[in-house]
Amino acid sequence: QGSDVGPQGRFTPPLVSSRLGRGASRASAAMSALFDFQGLLVVMLLTICTCSYLRPRLGNFIHPKAPGFMGMFGRFAVIGDRLSPFVSVACVLMAMSTLFIR
């Protein structure tokens, strides 16, 4: 039980191997935040808050009319600017949910 060698003789870190239960699969232990709905909401809220904070400082890079990937960050900044009371309430609710429910 003290061995950190998993199936196929690969090394598994102690945190991952300790989280694996009897019926747990290996994929559920190494899940990304984007596969969980609450994790997806946290990533979206943090992106909106970060883009709306950085837009006045980096106006050339975060522009809402820019095409492609960088334009997405500009659109997140516009959402954060226009809906700032709702975004801040959502951040507080998500923080409480993460601290006390999860």
Side-chain angles (χ1 to χ4, degrees):
Q1 191 176 29
S3 173
D4 288 333
V5 178
Q8 296 100 16
R10 293 187 189 144
F11 173 75
T12 56
L15 291 176
V16 174
S17 63
S18 65
R19 279 191 284 174
L20 291 175
R22 285 190 175 148
S25 69
R26 198 155 180 70
S28 67
M31 211 189 262
S32 171
L34 298 179
F35 291 118
D36 185 13
F37 183 69
Q38 186 175 4
L40 178 68
L41 288 178
V42 168
V43 169
M44 294 293 288
L45 282 172
L46 288 175
T47 305
I48 289 171
C49 293
T50 303
C51 289
S52 61
Y53 174 77
L54 290 177
R55 184 176 177 205
R57 290 149 184 83
L58 303 173
N60 297 337
F61 296 110
I62 301 177
H63 195 273
K65 302 241 183 211
F69 189 68
M70 292 305 287
M72 181 181 66
F73 292 125
R75 291 179 193 102
F76 280 142
V78 169
I79 290 170
D81 290 341
R82 292 185 183 172
L83 300 175
S84 60
F86 298 110
V87 170
S88 63
V89 167
C91 286
V92 169
L93 290 175
M94 190 59 66
M96 295 299 164
S97 170
T98 301
L99 286 175
F100 299 117
I101 295 175
R102 225 171 183 199

